[in-house]
Amino acid sequence: MKSVISNISLSLLLLMGVAFSAQAEEPQCLMVHVPQDDPKAFKQAINIANNIPKQLGADAVRVEIIAQGPGLKLLSEGSPETKRIQSLAVSSEQTMGGGTKFSACAATIKGITKKTGTAPVILEGVDIVEPGAVARILELSKEGCTYIRI
């Protein structure tokens, strides 16, 4: 009987250890908000998305760059950071929950389309977030993501 209780206790301790380690390995979340058209800000946002996973480990952090308003140019055709965005998007597909995601504001796209009659061409690998960037920021805040505005 003592042996059965010891085995049950040991099993419970092992299960608690597995649950704790799974919880401890949940990647941190960082959102980088880019609301302005500034090539220096674009470069800084991409630098953060590139460097933080290298510093903390690719699977230890997930980064989401959210562009809205004039900042949408970062994620649109002709962006000075197109090659780096595409490279980060490809490398993110190889991580276990970390990586970098790019989100374009649907409300901004609708506004530009209404004003100019033409929708901006969003880069491949960029998600369009509905209803818009602010709603996405609120969602990520509820998930415990850290917010940085560039």
Side-chain angles (χ1 to χ4, degrees):
M1 182 69 158
K2 202 174 192 178
S3 166
V4 171
I5 292 173
S6 293
N7 285 339
I8 292 172
S9 296
L10 182 59
S11 296
L12 286 173
L13 285 173
L14 288 172
L15 285 173
M16 287 172 48
V18 168
F20 178 75
S21 69
Q23 187 177 23
E25 292 179 21
E26 181 71 25
Q28 295 180 56
C29 178
L30 174 65
M31 61 180 130
V32 181
H33 184 203
V34 183
Q36 75 276 357
D37 177 8
D38 178 359
K40 288 181 183 177
F42 296 170
K43 185 174 188 131
Q44 185 178 15
I46 301 303
N47 284 345
I48 289 168
N50 189 49
N51 294 333
I52 290 295
K54 287 178 182 175
Q55 295 166 353
L56 301 179
D59 295 328
V61 64
R62 63 186 173 102
V63 178
E64 186 164 338
I65 295 180
I66 304 167
Q68 83 173 118
L72 189 69
K73 289 182 182 178
L74 169 63
L75 303 179
S76 300
E77 188 176 78
S79 169
E81 299 297 332
T82 298
K83 287 181 183 177
R84 293 178 73 201
I85 290 167
Q86 291 169 340
S87 174
L88 281 168
V90 168
S91 66
S92 291
E93 294 172 3
Q94 301 165 358
T95 65
M96 304 274 300
T100 301
K101 178 179 178 179
F102 298 94
S103 297
C105 178
T108 299
I109 293 169
K110 288 175 188 171
I112 291 170
T113 304
K114 184 176 180 181
K115 184 177 180 179
T116 65
T118 306
V121 177
I122 303 301
L123 296 174
E124 187 175 332
V126 174
D127 293 332
I128 297 173
V129 292
E130 295 278 353
V134 174
R136 181 64 181 153
I137 289 167
L138 289 172
E139 263 177 35
L140 291 172
S141 292
K142 280 185 181 180
E143 293 176 16
C145 290
T146 301
Y147 173 85
I148 295 177
R149 182 181 187 273
I150 300 292

